Amino acid sequence: MSRTLGEMLVEAQALTEAQLKEALTYQRNGSLRLGEALLRLGFVDETTLARTLAKQQGIPFVDLDKGKVSEAVLARIPAEVAREQVLLPVMEKDGKLIIAVDDPLKRLVAEQLQFQLGTPVSCALASPTALKRALERYYGEKAEDSVARSMQAREGADESDAPIVRLVTRTFHDALAQRASDIHIEPGHGRVRVRFRVDGMLRDVAEHPAHLQAPLLSRLKIMAALDIAEKRKPQDGRIGVKIDGRDIDVRCSILPSSHGESMVMRLLDRTRSLISLKELGFEEEDNRWFKRLIQRPNGIVLVTGPTGSGKTTTLYAALSELNRPDVKIITAEDPVEYHLRGLNQVQVNAKIGLSFARILKAMLRAAPNIILVGEIRDSETAEMAIQAALTGHLVFSTLHTNDASSALTRLIDIGVKPFLVSAAVQAVIAQRLVRRLCAQCAEAYTPTEIELKALALDPRSFEGVQFKRARGCRACENSGYRGRVALFEHLEMDQNLRELCFRGASLEELRAQALASGALSGLVADGARKVVRGQTSLQEVMRVTRLLAESAVEV
């Protein structure tokens, strides 16, 4: 039976049992690997950790501070590839190229190189710091890319600013490489913490000394055209960068806190292709329903859900279905996230008074067939959207509510007359994003009766059915999940619902009527379908639908 890294370190007397227990607790709280936890706590040094890890994984350890790599071996791998993948060719032995890596999981990279070079490639493990020093020694400093150049050009920066330039550049590169949707920069407790949101979950990626906070924030503020002297008020801005040939739009938001300014950056990849309704998570029956719905000549279709739940992606998928030469589509967005050929897309600009309501008022004079309003935020925008729907236009928009039924009462709460809501709204879709199980490592298991009941499934009907759960492998970075899929709840207005809405009925009455008539298809029911089909796990559905707090299921 293979021993764990912690056990091997204790056996080698490089670690005590008490230190191991403390590191395991720290690891769980911070969602780290054990090695990272040990290094942060200062219980072991990099070299000892790398030696033990190499022994556990059955691969050689190489000390890159000793000896010298020949020019012939270095020439086997291009410098750019070595820097990008953080690896170093160290020697050739018996026709096999040996590369130094800082992580055993990079054996996948060795397999790719083997295919590209046509030569057997194997890995040796080195400490990360020694590998970094060796890369700089043999290949020199990495050339500044477009981000660094744009920052220096805009600021007239000199060579003394290079470390911060490289830090910002590296942060953007790492975020894209890890498929991050957001970058969080948060000062506090003598450090600057950097976190990425990947598949909806935040993870720690770096910690910088506190003295880097001011220059780091100043760099990013200059890129976003913000006031670097203002540190007391929230600020919002945008950065446009090109990284590895990809045009990235970065939405920035700065918030003053007790420890200094924190910053969140939302990354929007303009080169990314649109996701279809099927890829997003629409089942066949839901897909047919949605396509039938969006063929209506007028009315308003709302998509609701929290920030980052994929509402805009759903609306763009609908517009892609409707985008034809004989149809005029105009959108009002903040910001324009995707550029679609054939659409007239207008960017909201609060600085010059170009709000959703003002754009909507102007676009009605442009004779559109279909209108997209990025978000209904106030009564003026809501009333304009409703009026557009009642005057022969098909209107799509988003709203922040917890479920589909709440959208009807929310419109009334912000000032729209109940009879207008009743007449104009055609349907509401509420959605959430759950993490998709990793296709390479998800494992099957038989669910308990309690788990089936939590998803409102009859245990007798699902006897012997197997669910899948997360396990973790190198392909998914040991998270058990890779990518996301949407859960949908849809509500289609019928005569009874319109009458209740006209009378100003409560949310409970509207939801009860929708369930009784079959007009409402629930979020949990869609989650259950995706769990049964192995797309996601029970734990994920419970997490996003808040079932965990309401159920006695222990997971």
Side-chain angles (χ1 to χ4, degrees):
M1 186 174 178
S2 61
R3 293 172 295 168
T4 66
L5 177 64
E7 288 171 347
M8 292 179 70
L9 286 165
V10 171
E11 284 177 19
Q13 297 184 340
L15 196 68
T16 66
E17 290 282 0
Q19 287 175 327
L20 177 58
K21 285 181 182 177
E22 185 179 342
L24 288 170
T25 303
Y26 186 84
Q27 173 201 9
R28 285 192 293 270
N29 292 339
S31 300
L32 306 170
R33 294 183 190 176
L34 177 59
E36 292 174 313
L38 289 168
L39 289 173
R40 287 195 186 183
L41 292 169
F43 291 161
V44 295
D45 58 75
E46 274 194 354
T47 303
T48 302
L49 180 65
R51 282 184 186 277
T52 311
L53 193 56
K55 189 176 179 181
Q56 186 210 24
Q57 296 292 326
I59 59 177
F61 171 81
V62 59
D63 187 347
L64 295 175
D65 289 329
K66 297 177 181 177
K68 188 177 180 181
V69 181
S70 71
E71 289 293 331
V73 171
L74 288 172
R76 293 300 307 274
I77 295 178
E80 201 59 36
V81 173
R83 289 197 200 98
E84 190 64 32
Q85 299 295 339
V86 193
L87 56 87
L88 182 76
V90 290
M91 65 182 296
E92 283 186 288
K93 188 175 181 181
D94 301 326
K96 182 183 288 187
L97 178 66
I98 298 172
I99 61 171
V101 295
D102 58 0
D103 189 334
L105 296 179
K106 286 188 178 175
R107 279 180 282 196
L108 181 63
V109 177
E111 293 170 12
Q112 294 170 347
L113 284 172
Q114 186 167 301
F115 176 78
Q116 292 169 2
L117 301 174
T119 304
V121 178
S122 66
C123 292
L125 197 62
S127 75
T129 303
L131 180 56
K132 184 180 177 183
R133 281 197 300 265
L135 284 169
E136 289 179 359
R137 187 163 68 248
Y138 292 116
Y139 294 118
E141 290 289 336
K142 184 175 179 180
E144 298 301 327
D145 59 17
S146 64
V147 177
R149 285 197 301 273
S150 66
M151 289 168 67
Q152 289 178 332
R154 293 176 67 172
E155 203 180 355
D158 56 28
E159 289 303 312
S160 64
D161 292 322
I164 291 298
V165 171
R166 288 197 297 270
L167 176 59
V168 172
T169 298
R170 188 73 261 163
T171 301
F172 280 124
H173 270 285
D174 290 347
L176 288 177
Q178 295 183 36
R179 304 177 297 109
S181 59
D182 302 85
I183 301 171
H184 293 246
I185 299 174
E186 303 161 328
H189 307 291
R191 59 175 184 162
V192 180
R193 179 171 67 165
V194 180
R195 297 194 287 175
F196 293 165
R197 190 179 293 278
V198 181
D199 292 336
M201 306 296 284
L202 280 170
R203 60 171 69 159
D204 284 349
V205 293
E207 281 187 6
H208 306 305
H211 70 266
L212 290 181
Q213 178 191 344
L216 179 59
L217 264 291
S218 293
R219 280 288 180 181
L220 292 167
K221 281 182 178 181
I222 287 164
M223 292 179 75
L226 299 175
D227 184 356
I228 62 171
E230 181 56 74
K231 301 181 189 302
R232 300 165 300 168
K233 297 178 183 177
Q235 295 189 71
D236 295 307
R238 289 196 178 90
I239 300 171
V241 294
K242 190 164 188 173
I243 300 174
D244 296 333
R246 296 157 68 183
D247 288 313
I248 308 299
D249 184 32
V250 185
R251 278 190 280 172
C252 308
S253 179
I254 292 180
L255 183 69
S257 70
S258 57
H259 295 287
E261 293 176 295
S262 65
M263 188 172 194
V264 178
M265 294 179 282
R266 168 68 61 88
L267 307 179
L268 300 172
D269 188 350
R270 294 193 179 281
T271 62
R272 185 180 58 191
S273 59
L274 277 176
I275 299 174
S276 68
L277 290 170
K278 188 174 181 181
E279 290 172 313
L280 193 60
F282 267 96
E283 305 293 338
E284 284 301 322
E285 188 179 337
D286 294 334
N287 205 359
R288 285 194 296 272
W289 171 82
F290 191 62
K291 286 184 176 180
R292 174 177 58 80
L293 175 74
I294 62 178
Q295 295 301 326
R296 296 185 181 184
N298 55 55
I300 185 165
V301 177
L302 295 168
V303 181
T304 77
T307 302
S309 60
K311 301 186 295 295
T312 304
T313 305
T314 299
L315 289 177
Y316 270 105
L319 293 184
S320 295
E321 292 278 343
L322 297 167
N323 192 12
R324 302 188 305 271
D326 61 326
V327 174
K328 181 165 184 174
I329 302 173
I330 305 181
T331 75
E333 303 169 68
D334 185 23
V336 176
E337 294 188 20
Y338 300 94
H339 292 278
L340 286 184
R341 181 174 298 191
L343 269 62
N344 299 276
Q345 296 172 273
V346 185
Q347 169 79 52
V348 168
N349 190 341
K351 290 180 181 177
I352 59 171
L354 196 60
S355 63
F356 280 117
R358 189 169 177 182
I359 295 170
L360 192 49
K361 201 175 290 184
M363 68 170 61
L364 290 176
R365 296 193 290 270
N369 302 103
I370 297 166
I371 292 169
L372 167 66
V373 182
E375 184 182 342
I376 293 177
R377 297 175 179 172
D378 51 49
S379 59
E380 187 182 8
T381 307
E383 286 181 2
M384 287 297 301
I386 295 283
Q387 289 297 338
L390 292 173
T391 52
H393 304 88
L394 181 60
V395 180
F396 294 96
S397 190
T398 69
L399 202 61
H400 286 283
T401 63
N402 287 328
D403 55 39
S405 311
S406 301
L408 303 174
T409 54
R410 173 69 179 146
L411 287 172
I412 295 169
D413 287 343
I414 62 177
V416 181
K417 301 289 190 297
F419 73 90
L420 291 176
V421 176
S422 169
V425 176
Q426 296 289 349
V428 184
I429 299 168
Q431 66 184 68
R432 299 287 190 280
L433 289 177
V434 293
R435 290 180 294 171
R436 194 187 290 269
L437 283 166
C438 175
Q440 295 191 31
C441 69
E443 59 181 10
Y445 77 103
T446 303
T448 65
E449 186 175 322
I450 299 175
E451 288 176 320
L452 289 167
K453 286 181 177 178
L455 291 176
L457 299 175
D458 183 357
R460 292 170 297 181
S461 302
F462 287 85
E463 189 174 348
V465 170
Q466 288 197 315
F467 288 0
K468 287 187 177 181
R469 60 188 170 198
R471 189 177 64 185
C473 66
R474 63 186 180 186
C476 61
E477 298 175 325
N478 287 315
S479 68
Y481 300 94
R482 187 172 178 84
R484 289 193 285 179
V485 63
L487 306 185
F488 296 97
E489 173 178 272
H490 50 78
L491 170 70
E492 185 171 4
M493 297 293 283
D494 58 20
Q495 193 56 43
N496 291 329
L497 281 173
R498 293 189 191 282
E499 191 173 330
L500 281 174
C501 194
F502 181 85
R503 296 205 314 261
S506 68
L507 175 60
E508 289 73 21
E509 289 178 281
L510 288 167
R511 188 169 181 83
Q513 172 58 41
L515 286 168
S517 64
L520 178 65
S521 171
L523 201 66
V524 177
D526 192 37
R529 285 200 295 269
K530 290 180 169 73
V531 169
V532 171
R533 290 177 184 176
Q535 292 175 285
T536 188
S537 67
L538 167 74
Q539 290 84 350
E540 272 296 287
V541 173
M542 295 177 77
R543 178 177 66 83
V544 302
T545 60
R546 310 291 196 279
L547 275 177
L548 197 56
E550 301 165 11
S551 172
V553 181
E554 292 187 6
V555 293

